Amino acid sequence: MSIALYAPRIQPDETLYSYVARCQHVWGMRNSRSLAKDWFGRESVSINQVLPIEISKIANWSDYETNYLLSKHTLLDLYGIFTGRNTELKRVMLGSNALSLANTSTLSQLGHKSVGYSCICPICYNSDVARIGVGYWHLIHQFNGVTACPTHQCELVESRTDSRQYILPSLPNNYVYDRAPEMQVRFAKFVANCIEQSRLSNERAHDDLHRYPVLFKRGQNLDMRSLMHLLDAIELGLDIPKIVNEHHVRKILRKPLSPIHPFKALILRFALSFLSVDNREAPVSAPKGVTDKQARRCAVLLREAKYSMREVSRRVGVSVGYVKQTAKLMGVSIDQRRQTITPDIERNIKGMAIGGACRNDIASKFEVSVGAVEQIIQSVSGLVVWRQYLRLLSKRNSARKVLLEMMKQNPNHNRTQLRQLVQKEYGLLYKYDKKWLFDALPANEKRQYYGHKLWLRRDKELLPQLKEFIRLALEDKGELPSQYETDQALGGHSWFNRSPAKLPVCSRFYRRVTRKFSHCKDKENVTVAR
């Protein structure tokens, strides 16, 4: 008998998995395999909560249009916008091949639990039971990262489900629910609004989901550090693991039409919504004018004549114009540079540069900028390399001086000890001045063998262990342990087998015990024979 005539009506925001489970409940079928065999023609069908398959067969049995089920009871529109594969995804969901669903919908890119668990709102569940007699799974509650009900603002309850076993949610009658944190409620409402926006047929609404507000800018560069701090705080507030990294953010902002999992795009849009013009509070305007403390601080820094005009402005927190005005009133000259560089000045700059003078010293002497000095240095062929050689030569001489001073303070140190004292200088001389280094260092000492001292200490340490082992063996078995057994008891290093001469005390004790044990055994045999 056909069961299509008795198919119940699908409820608002109900997932198709929940609809199939509710049909099984209404018809009194306990085995999901029987329902799958009747509806889909095979005994095991995996139905995802947000992106199910076999929708064409569900539509035929339930007498609903496929487009209605796809739009109102799945997240095809949302995934289609952010993946750019609406047609391919629709074809997979209408068919019966679930193998390509993960790659087509980018479910495999999330790195977060997306199957095996379903969520339910306790208040929604009680309302559904009072209205239709049973509870069902709501679509908005199944989106990744949504842990609160956007309507009732309470925490969702996780329940383990199997995509091949169609079950309905179940909660105790007097279940005590908790109010969800504000961050989770705001994200749930944000996701619900995005889902509704994705279902609109307006292309402009779809384009708005790909458009991101131009925020977090310093000049023309993206302030990625601040944005990642904000995303970390939001993910912590949503109680989810780290999902969106810097690579994802750059990919979404630079290539908004590239395929991406909707959760990653929505979590970024949610973060930027805190900084949009509509949600951002107007900053409190700073008081106009300069305080007495700032004026005194500015005057002190100008008298010291250590900082530039812009540095004084940054340190005091006033404008550059105020610093310049104060400097004129005080008669302090700052940032006065030559407008032109004469040939004589250029010749003198080159002479000082050849001598290895610092660029800042040259710029201060001739009252020019450091950039101008750098341009003059680069205009002379080979001067840059020459200055690098002079700088390396200075470092080498300094390293030589440090090493010689250390050798003078520690005349009895060998090469290894000196290297540990001056590692930085030793490394530089080893790399660039190895011949001088080996000539200056003390001669290598002849290697001495200290192994005999080690064996003597080892012989003394093993003797008590050997005595105790032989005593226990004689008490337990009444037999003297073999040389191999003795070596294994002492650690299995083969010292007792291969190097008995290096353990004279232990070997002598073992031989004495062996002779004594053999003599006693022979005496017993003679007594028995008599």
Side-chain angles (χ1 to χ4, degrees):
M1 181 181 64
S2 177
I3 57 178
L5 298 176
Y6 304 97
R9 298 293 88 189
I10 194 168
Q11 299 299 312
D13 195 44
E14 184 178 12
T15 66
L16 292 183
Y17 170 90
S18 175
Y19 179 66
V20 174
R22 196 157 55 86
C23 291
Q24 175 181 327
H25 174 77
V26 171
W27 298 329
M29 302 175 64
R30 298 183 178 181
N31 191 353
S32 299
R33 291 178 174 271
S34 302
L35 178 65
K37 182 70 174 178
D38 196 0
W39 272 33
F40 311 121
R42 51 191 185 177
E43 294 184 352
S44 180
V45 177
S46 176
I47 301 179
N48 190 277
Q49 289 276 24
V50 296
L51 296 175
I53 60 173
E54 299 283 11
I55 295 182
S56 58
K57 294 182 180 179
I58 295 176
N60 292 334
W61 283 102
S62 61
D63 199 21
Y64 282 104
E65 295 183 359
T66 56
N67 291 332
Y68 173 79
L69 296 179
L70 287 169
S71 176
K72 298 298 182 181
H73 300 279
T74 69
L75 296 183
L76 169 65
D77 297 327
L78 185 66
Y79 276 80
I81 291 174
F82 288 104
T83 60
R85 305 167 181 170
N86 191 288
T87 305
E88 300 177 10
L89 192 57
K90 181 178 180 180
R91 176 175 52 81
V92 173
M93 294 172 67
L94 291 176
S96 58
N97 185 11
L99 297 178
S100 60
L101 180 63
N103 292 330
T104 306
S105 61
T106 66
L107 285 174
S108 57
Q109 300 179 9
L110 184 58
H112 180 51
K113 68 179 184 66
S114 57
V115 294
Y117 288 91
S118 300
C119 297
I120 182 173
C121 168
I123 302 179
C124 292
Y125 174 80
N126 294 332
S127 176
D128 297 338
V129 171
R131 183 168 52 88
I132 63 174
V134 293
Y136 61 88
W137 304 105
H138 288 251
L139 183 63
I140 182 59
H141 298 159
Q142 314 310 322
F143 187 79
N144 295 104
V146 174
T147 56
C149 178
T151 304
H152 304 108
Q153 302 182 7
C154 62
E155 290 185 351
L156 299 181
V157 181
E158 284 189 350
S159 177
R160 190 164 187 84
T161 56
D162 187 352
S163 60
R164 299 180 184 274
Q165 300 292 329
Y166 317 132
I167 61 174
L168 291 173
S170 178
L171 289 176
N173 295 330
N174 299 325
Y175 185 83
V176 179
Y177 58 87
D178 299 326
R179 178 176 174 81
E182 183 64 24
M183 179 71 72
Q184 299 179 7
V185 174
R186 292 186 62 174
F187 181 70
K189 293 182 178 180
F190 179 81
V191 172
N193 293 335
C194 291
I195 293 176
E196 292 299 326
Q197 184 178 354
S198 66
R199 290 171 177 171
L200 300 177
S201 58
N202 188 1
E203 295 183 359
R204 182 177 179 181
H206 293 181
D207 294 339
D208 290 341
L209 292 176
H210 286 295
R211 192 175 294 112
Y212 297 88
V214 184
L215 298 169
F216 278 100
K217 295 284 185 176
R218 287 180 182 167
Q220 298 297 325
N221 298 322
L222 180 66
D223 189 0
M224 184 58 66
R225 179 179 297 180
S226 301
L227 183 54
M228 296 309 300
H229 284 327
L230 178 62
L231 287 172
D232 292 341
I234 289 177
E235 289 174 341
L236 183 62
L238 296 179
D239 194 20
I240 58 176
K242 181 67 177 176
I243 299 296
V244 182
N245 54 33
E246 183 176 341
H247 171 72
H248 298 146
V249 174
R250 295 188 183 277
K251 179 181 178 181
I252 294 172
L253 295 180
R254 293 177 179 177
K255 298 179 181 179
L257 298 181
S258 60
I260 194 72
H261 194 281
F263 176 72
K264 297 178 180 179
L266 292 185
I267 199 70
L268 177 59
R269 294 185 62 87
F270 180 66
L272 295 179
S273 67
F274 284 89
L275 304 170
S276 62
V277 179
D278 298 334
N279 295 334
R280 185 171 50 190
E281 296 181 359
V284 179
S285 58
K288 296 183 179 180
V290 180
T291 62
D292 295 338
K293 183 178 179 180
Q294 289 176 321
R296 289 192 299 269
R297 176 66 173 164
C298 182
V300 170
L301 294 179
L302 288 174
R303 289 193 191 96
E304 293 178 358
K306 293 182 179 179
Y307 308 104
S308 64
M309 180 175 57
R310 288 167 179 79
E311 180 64 17
V312 173
S313 172
R314 187 189 68 80
R315 287 174 176 264
V316 179
V318 295
S319 65
V320 177
Y322 175 80
V323 177
K324 186 180 296 185
Q325 180 183 2
T326 306
K328 290 181 179 180
L329 294 176
M330 296 175 58
V332 178
S333 59
I334 57 175
D335 290 355
Q336 292 183 356
R337 298 174 180 173
R338 294 181 180 271
Q339 300 299 323
T340 59
I341 300 177
T342 63
D344 292 338
I345 295 177
E346 183 177 354
R347 184 171 56 256
N348 294 331
I349 289 176
K350 291 179 181 178
M352 292 186 66
I354 293 173
C358 178
R359 293 175 300 176
N360 294 330
D361 297 340
I362 299 175
S364 300
K365 182 176 180 179
F366 296 101
E367 297 180 353
V368 296
S369 65
V370 179
V373 175
E374 184 65 29
Q375 290 180 0
I376 294 175
I377 292 174
Q378 292 180 357
S379 64
V380 181
S381 177
L383 183 54
V384 175
V385 179
W386 170 254
R387 286 174 60 82
Q388 292 176 354
Y389 169 75
L390 291 179
R391 188 162 56 251
L392 181 59
L393 190 65
S394 175
K395 291 182 178 180
R396 187 207 67 177
N397 295 336
S398 177
R400 283 184 177 184
K401 184 178 179 181
V402 172
L403 180 61
L404 292 175
E405 184 67 24
M406 191 59 62
M407 291 174 61
K408 185 178 179 180
Q409 296 177 4
N410 305 278
N412 298 326
H413 278 33
N414 56 25
R415 293 189 176 189
T416 303
Q417 293 171 334
L418 290 173
R419 184 177 67 247
Q420 293 174 353
L421 293 176
V422 287
Q423 295 183 2
K424 180 180 178 181
E425 291 77 7
Y426 191 98
L428 186 142
L429 293 174
Y430 184 85
K431 186 175 182 181
Y432 298 106
D433 200 9
K434 186 182 295 185
K435 185 177 183 305
W436 179 92
L437 176 64
F438 289 162
D439 292 341
L441 288 173
N444 283 329
E445 299 178 357
K446 186 178 180 180
R447 295 182 178 272
Q448 298 182 6
Y449 178 72
Y450 297 96
H452 62 282
K453 297 182 180 180
L454 177 65
W455 283 104
L456 290 176
R457 186 175 72 250
R458 187 177 294 161
D459 194 14
K460 294 180 181 179
E461 293 176 353
L462 291 179
L463 182 60
Q465 302 179 24
L466 177 62
K467 292 180 178 180
E468 182 67 15
F469 173 69
I470 293 178
R471 185 183 65 81
L472 294 176
L474 293 175
E475 292 179 355
D476 295 343
K477 300 180 180 180
E479 296 181 357
L480 185 68
S482 65
Q483 198 168 351
Y484 174 78
E485 293 175 345
T486 305
D487 184 79
Q488 293 297 316
L490 297 179
H493 304 290
S494 299
W495 296 336
F496 211 67
N497 289 335
R498 299 180 182 180
S499 306
K502 295 182 179 180
L503 300 172
V505 179
C506 293
S507 300
R508 187 165 54 253
F509 174 78
Y510 185 78
R511 288 195 301 269
R512 186 168 64 251
V513 173
T514 303
R515 287 195 302 269
K516 185 176 181 180
F517 184 78
S518 300
H519 178 71
C520 294
K521 194 172 183 180
D522 294 341
K523 188 175 181 180
E524 291 178 359
N525 293 336
V526 171
T527 304
V528 172
R530 288 179 181 178

